[in-house]
Amino acid sequence: MRPADLAREHGLSTQAVRNYEADGFLPPADRTPSGYRLYTAAHAAALRAYLALIRGYGHPTAGRVMLAVHEDHLDDALLVIDRGHGQLLRDRETLDSVRRAVGDLPGEPAPDPGTRTIGELAHRLRVTPATLRNWEDAGILTPSRDAATGYRVYRAEDVRDAELAHLLRRGGHPLEQITAVVEQIRTAGGTEELSRALADWQARITARGVAMLDAAARLGDYLALRRRT
């Protein structure tokens, strides 16, 4: 097979195929006396596996897997894949936690709900004021300041964010993860919009899981070919 034969199946350029070989993502090709590359069914299977791994795990992980395979470090390749599945499971668990937390939150804030001091909010959540300050440092809370006293002032939106943070912290989620979720709520504009965003998040997780299954099948085909040659 020529580089063009491999490239055509995936809509790639022949240079891309040559680059993948040079980077170690495909096994080295034999050469004709005139220097042209000769690819085999094993190279075609390696390219299918690599591209499927990209769809399931991303470029860096796909590259690490293929390099480990070609260096005969199969356990290292499988460890990288296992970590990808572990991350997918954590993403699913986080999504479930966020959904439960959003379901436990009150509805959209009233138009003019008043404000709370740091002590009042801490008492409401049964946490310390220091905890609220830590959440502020992490970017989870963004209270305004009273113009006269400089004290923190928590609006209805801040209370909602604090309640969500409190629920997720009780579920064991790290602050940086909670910060990202709260920022998504702010961007969406409220919990109703976030529910729609969570549905999109679920769809992406499902698609990634299916892509991982396809990648496993393609990689299995390639490994079987390597064992026979």
Side-chain angles (χ1 to χ4, degrees):
M1 302 174 71
R2 302 167 302 164
D5 298 322
L6 269 69
R8 188 178 304 112
E9 178 181 345
H10 306 284
L12 300 171
S13 68
T14 56
Q15 185 60 51
V17 174
R18 290 191 288 266
N19 290 344
Y20 292 156
E21 181 195 346
D23 290 337
F25 305 147
L26 306 182
D30 291 331
R31 300 278 187 142
T32 67
S34 55
Y36 291 106
R37 291 174 173 84
L38 291 176
Y39 291 124
T40 66
H43 292 89
L47 182 58
R48 294 185 193 108
Y50 175 60
L51 296 177
L53 286 164
I54 290 174
R55 291 190 291 272
Y57 300 87
H59 282 85
T61 297
R64 287 196 295 273
V65 169
M66 297 306 290
L67 288 173
V69 167
H70 294 145
E71 293 167 359
D72 292 324
H73 296 154
L74 181 57
D75 283 331
D76 292 343
L78 296 177
L79 178 60
V80 173
I81 290 173
D82 289 345
R83 286 174 177 157
H85 284 279
Q87 182 61 59
L88 182 64
L89 177 60
R90 289 191 295 274
D91 288 347
R92 288 188 185 279
E93 291 171 344
T94 298
L95 175 58
D96 288 342
S97 296
V98 172
R99 276 185 167 146
R100 288 194 298 270
V102 170
D104 290 341
L105 290 175
E108 295 300 315
D112 184 21
T115 59
R116 288 179 173 86
T117 66
I118 189 169
E120 290 168 340
L121 181 55
H123 179 73
R124 174 188 176 95
L125 299 178
R126 297 182 181 178
V127 300
T128 66
T131 296
L132 296 179
R133 288 192 288 269
N134 287 338
W135 293 355
E136 183 179 345
D137 291 340
I140 296 170
L141 300 180
T142 57
S144 56
R145 297 277 183 160
D146 184 274
T149 64
Y151 293 155
R152 292 172 176 83
V153 175
Y154 295 88
R155 301 151 297 180
E157 292 83 359
D158 301 314
V159 174
R160 177 199 63 200
D161 295 345
E163 288 173 336
L164 177 57
H166 191 217
L167 286 164
L168 293 177
R169 282 300 279 167
R170 283 159 49 195
H173 297 287
L175 290 180
E176 60 269 19
Q177 194 175 74
I178 298 171
T179 302
V181 171
V182 171
E183 180 58 32
Q184 192 170 11
I185 288 183
R186 293 193 191 113
T187 302
T191 54
E192 290 183 6
E193 290 80 0
L194 179 63
S195 295
R196 288 191 287 270
L198 293 179
D200 292 338
W201 187 359
Q202 178 71 72
R204 290 194 299 272
I205 286 177
T206 299
R208 196 158 88 243
V210 171
M212 285 180 173
L213 288 176
D214 181 58
R218 299 289 185 178
L219 183 60
D221 291 343
Y222 176 51
L223 293 175
L225 268 178
R226 283 176 61 86
R227 286 194 295 268
R228 293 199 296 267
T229 58

